[in-house]
């Protein structure tokens, strides 16, 4: 996946201006280095893979010496490389290569995604504690908090599954974790691992009305009709 992203970045298939604008300082680039990168990429988009130094210096308002120092700094920071490749006539030509920069960007992006996922997970975990406390109408004890943590970290019950167990407990007016634990264990033993599977199982349960009707039918079957004599004995 990273190789594909790198290839797309190198070919210009993905716009990176906004991400780089927000994060170039985190990648170790100064303002001048970032502007130089933009100028080089502008020229390369026009087919000039190795723009002349004096043209870059003029665009940036730099002296040739400052421009050379900026390019050298990018090379020292493993952001820019000057490479060679063959043109259509087989001649070797120089070009500016930013593959190292793109690798740094991908690594930074991966870290940001990982941090975002961690924050989202932490919010979900806090929400499940809050929801249980609200439904129970009281704060959770340290042991109860530890039990919920074990459901998440050890038993790997999803947050949605725990919410469904909480819903079942509330519907049955059982405001305690032991009841929820039995529900979760029952679902686990029946291999109900997703909310959809649990919902299907709950929907297929017989309703109270069906159960009472069945009980009445059974009672009718066991009613004994008394025998009455219609004639008198002599």
């Amino acid at each position: 996946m990273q190789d594909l992203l790198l290839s797309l970045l190198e070919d210009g298939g993905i716009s990176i201006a906004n991400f780089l604008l927000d994060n170039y300082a985190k990648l170790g680039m100064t303002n001048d280095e970032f502007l130089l990168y933009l100028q080089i990429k502008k020229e390369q988009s026009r087919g000039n893979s190795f723009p002349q130094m004096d043209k870059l210096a003029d665009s940036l308002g730099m002296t040739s010496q400052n421009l050379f120092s900026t390019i050298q700094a990018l090379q020292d920071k493993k952001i820019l490389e000057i490479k060679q490749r063959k043109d259509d006539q087989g001649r070797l030509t120089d070009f500016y290569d930013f593959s190292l920069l793109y690798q740094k960007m991908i690594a930074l992006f991966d870290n940001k995604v990982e941090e975002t996922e961690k924050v989202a997970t932490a919010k979900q975990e806090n929400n499940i504690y809050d929801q249980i406390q609200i439904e129970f109408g009281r704060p959770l004890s340290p042991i109860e908090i530890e039990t919920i943590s074990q459901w998440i970290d050890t038993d790997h019950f999803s947050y949605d599954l725990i919410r469904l167990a909480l819903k079942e407990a509330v519907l049955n007016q059982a405001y305690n974790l032991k009841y929820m634990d039995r529900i979760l264990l029952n679902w686990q033993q029946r291999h109900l691992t997703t909310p959809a599977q649990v919902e299907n199982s709950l929907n297929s349960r017989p309703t109270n009305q069906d159960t009472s009707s069945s009980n009445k039918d059974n009672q009718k079957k066991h009613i004994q009709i008394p025998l009455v004599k219609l004639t008198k004995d002599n």
Side-chain angles (χ1 to χ4, degrees):
M1 184 62 179
Q2 289 191 351
D3 292 339
L4 176 61
L5 286 173
L6 180 59
S7 176
L8 290 172
L9 288 169
E10 290 174 346
D11 294 339
I14 295 179
S15 177
I16 60 173
N18 290 338
F19 182 80
L20 188 56
L21 183 62
D22 291 337
N23 297 281
Y24 72 88
K26 295 178 182 178
L27 295 167
M29 299 173 71
T30 65
N31 292 344
D32 286 343
E33 291 165 359
F34 175 62
L35 290 174
L36 174 58
Y37 163 80
L38 293 178
Q39 288 293 334
I40 292 175
K41 292 303 294 182
K42 181 193 71 175
E43 292 297 323
Q44 289 183 339
S45 68
R46 296 174 176 175
N48 185 8
S49 60
F50 196 71
Q52 295 179 352
M53 295 279 287
D54 57 348
K55 185 175 183 178
L56 289 174
D58 183 61
S59 298
L60 294 167
M62 291 183 177
T63 64
S64 297
Q65 183 176 357
N66 287 340
L67 177 62
F68 179 81
S69 298
T70 304
I71 292 174
Q72 187 62 51
L74 288 174
Q75 290 177 298
D76 293 341
K77 294 176 181 179
K78 306 298 182 184
I79 290 175
L80 170 67
E81 291 180 295
I82 298 176
K83 294 184 178 180
Q84 288 188 324
R85 61 188 172 197
K86 291 183 179 180
D87 60 15
D88 296 337
Q89 287 74 38
R91 297 172 300 184
L92 287 175
T93 59
D94 294 331
F95 71 98
Y96 291 111
D97 182 72
F98 289 98
S99 297
L100 295 177
L101 170 63
Y102 300 146
Q103 290 174 6
K104 291 177 182 291
M105 288 176 62
I106 291 172
L108 179 61
F109 181 76
D110 286 343
N111 289 336
K112 284 183 174 293
V113 170
E114 186 177 348
E115 289 175 4
T116 301
E117 289 176 347
K118 287 181 179 179
V119 170
T121 300
K123 284 184 178 179
Q124 275 195 317
E125 188 169 338
N126 290 334
N127 286 341
I128 201 67
Y129 292 124
D130 292 340
Q131 288 175 10
I132 293 174
Q133 288 184 129
I134 291 171
E135 294 295 344
F136 284 7
R138 59 175 175 79
L140 294 171
S141 69
I143 294 178
E144 288 176 321
I145 293 175
E146 184 180 352
T147 298
I148 299 171
S149 297
Q150 288 178 351
W151 288 346
I152 298 168
D153 300 328
T154 304
D155 300 320
H156 304 293
F157 293 127
S158 70
Y159 295 106
D160 289 335
L161 216 60
I162 296 173
R163 289 188 184 94
L164 283 175
L166 174 62
K167 179 180 177 181
E168 284 294 294
V170 172
L171 289 175
N172 288 279
Q173 298 183 346
Y175 302 103
N176 61 80
L177 294 189
K178 289 184 179 179
Y179 190 86
M180 290 179 60
D181 191 60
R182 287 198 297 270
I183 292 174
L184 291 169
L185 181 60
N186 176 267
W187 291 343
Q188 186 181 59
Q189 291 172 344
R190 294 165 57 197
H191 305 290
L192 303 177
T193 57
T194 66
Q197 291 173 335
V198 170
E199 290 284 5
N200 289 334
S201 175
L202 294 176
N203 291 334
S204 64
R205 292 183 307 187
T207 62
N208 292 335
Q209 184 177 358
D210 294 337
T211 304
S212 60
S213 299
S214 177
N215 291 336
K216 288 180 180 178
D217 291 339
N218 291 332
Q219 289 174 3
K220 289 180 180 179
K221 291 179 182 178
H222 292 86
I223 293 175
Q224 295 182 355
I225 301 175
L227 297 176
V228 179
K229 290 183 179 182
L230 299 178
T231 58
K232 294 182 179 179
D233 293 335
N234 292 328

